Amino acid sequence: MTITAHPLVVRARRLAADLLVPEAERVDQEGVPASHIEAVKESGLLGVVAPVAYGGSGASPAVLRETAEILAGACCSTWFVQTQHHTPVQTLAKSELPVRERLLGPLSRGELLSGVAYAHLRAHPRVPVRVRREGGGWRFDGSVPWYTGWGLNDVMLLAGVTEADEALFAFVDARDQPGLRASAPLRLAALTAARTVSLELDGLWVPEEAVALRTPYASWAPADRARTLNANPAVFGIAEAALSLLDEESAGPLHARLADIRRRAYALADHPAPFERAAERLAVRAEAYEVLGTATTAAVVAGGGRAMSLTSRAQRLAREGLFLLVQGQTAETRMAHLRALTGTGGGRSSSEVVTEPGV
């Protein structure tokens, strides 16, 4: 079966055409509605890479990437809310702790939607969220600068660093509760619709049985770094959506460039040694951003003055493209991107850690 014919890819295209694209400009201004999340849950897309034994599809990473491109190109805000869900699923699939049996099934079947609150771990050795033992469980204290999907997610995978310098991940209900308070929704230049807030943790107590992962930070960090080196499939989805607004003559050369970068990016993502070829991965990532910027700028130019209207698809895609420039950014990826843009060795010192929205 080709990726294009995979049932989940077909469902993603149908969801995009029937719901996400027609509603995207309204959602951008008013917020992702619960009905969109229900539609994603019912589609089976939340279980795309989840184990079949727990109700998921067990599909390949290529299928996950393809569905991500489709959803992001249709409505980036909806994509951004649901994409958080796949990390908790994959974390539980590898876990041998009791919470696996409690939550992996509901998450794999799309009965529950999970968010994530762990990007702040990349600030290490600074510790924005500290965790310590307390009464048969764990106490969380600190601040989470970015949490997406507030009011839409059922649970969240929350992370902090223990006194023993371990990364500890645990599931908690995604709601205000003793020890956990959310800010008002953050107003952003793009993806305000995704309902991003900051979280204040002041003695949030989590039982031991809610812990999904506890590992030395030094063991967790390399795998996280490997994920951030690769190009985000959403970049290709938004670029393709922007090119669809151009005439064939204008779009043709950009389609060819985009296809070439996409092929190389996904070959690197599928490479059996995820920690190798870091410089090449970062270079291809920067190339993907370059063509994204060109495609969205071209869509705005083609749209003329109408592109400045908030009802214009071109300006929405351009703002979403700007968001992806910093989504999941680290000091390493920022430095590489700046070098590609300026042709210099400039950028932040590697000791300055950047924690930006999302996974």
Side-chain angles (χ1 to χ4, degrees), residues 21-30 310-313 316:
V21 170
E23 295 287 319
E25 276 66 59
R26 182 182 67 81
V27 167
D28 177 61
Q29 296 301 307
E30 300 178 8
L310 290 177
T311 60
S312 163
R313 188 181 184 198
R316 173 179 60 81

Side-chain angles (χ1 to χ4, degrees), residues 150-197:
W150 187 256
L152 297 171
N153 295 321
D154 301 294
V155 296
M156 74 171 79
L157 183 60
L158 173 65
V161 176
T162 71
E163 293 172 313
D165 206 34
E166 301 163 309
L168 187 144
F169 291 72
F171 282 93
V172 301
D173 290 338
R175 58 176 174 79
D176 281 325
Q177 56 189 288
L180 188 160
R181 180 173 57 84
S183 71
L186 303 178
R187 295 293 299 172
L188 306 174
L191 274 72
T192 287
R195 304 197 195 185
T196 297
V197 298

Side-chain angles (χ1 to χ4, degrees), residues 249-296:
E249 181 180 1
S250 300
L254 290 174
H255 271 303
R257 282 179 59 195
L258 187 66
D260 174 63
I261 296 167
R262 182 179 186 268
R263 175 188 57 77
R264 289 186 283 125
Y266 289 169
L268 287 167
D270 289 334
H271 192 278
F275 305 112
E276 294 182 0
R277 301 167 71 177
E280 183 179 357
R281 294 173 192 272
L282 288 169
V284 172
R285 188 178 189 270
E287 286 186 70
Y289 284 131
E290 180 186 8
V291 76
L292 170 64
T294 301
T296 54

Side-chain angles (χ1 to χ4, degrees), residues 13 55 153 172 220 244 267 279 287 302 342:
R13 293 194 183 282
N153 295 321
V172 301
W220 174 82
S244 73
E287 286 186 70
T342 64

Side-chain angles (χ1 to χ4, degrees), residues 296-358:
T296 54
T297 299
V300 170
V301 171
R306 294 186 302 276
M308 292 300 98
S309 168
L310 290 177
T311 60
S312 163
R313 188 181 184 198
Q315 63 79 28
R316 173 179 60 81
L317 292 169
R319 288 187 290 107
E320 291 170 351
L322 288 175
F323 180 87
L324 292 183
L325 294 180
V326 299
Q327 185 260 325
Q329 186 186 68
T330 66
E332 182 179 23
T333 59
R334 172 178 283 188
M335 290 167 62
H337 195 181
L338 285 173
R339 285 195 295 269
L341 289 169
T342 64
T344 69
R348 282 180 180 243
S349 162
S350 61
S351 64
E352 294 182 82
V353 179
V354 181
T355 304
E356 298 293 358

Side-chain angles (χ1 to χ4, degrees), residues 182-264:
S183 71
L186 303 178
R187 295 293 299 172
L188 306 174
L191 274 72
T192 287
R195 304 197 195 185
T196 297
V197 298
S198 59
L199 303 175
E200 292 300 320
L201 307 171
D202 183 14
L204 174 67
W205 186 82
V206 177
E208 181 68 41
E209 56 267 26
V211 174
L213 175 65
R214 181 182 166 200
T215 187
Y217 182 87
S219 298
W220 174 82
D224 178 67
R225 173 180 179 264
R227 284 191 294 271
T228 65
L229 297 177
N230 292 312
N232 186 337
V235 170
F236 302 111
I238 292 179
E240 285 285 1
L243 293 181
S244 73
L245 302 180
L246 304 180
D247 59 49
E248 186 174 344
E249 181 180 1
S250 300
L254 290 174
H255 271 303
R257 282 179 59 195
L258 187 66
D260 174 63
I261 296 167
R262 182 179 186 268
R263 175 188 57 77
R264 289 186 283 125

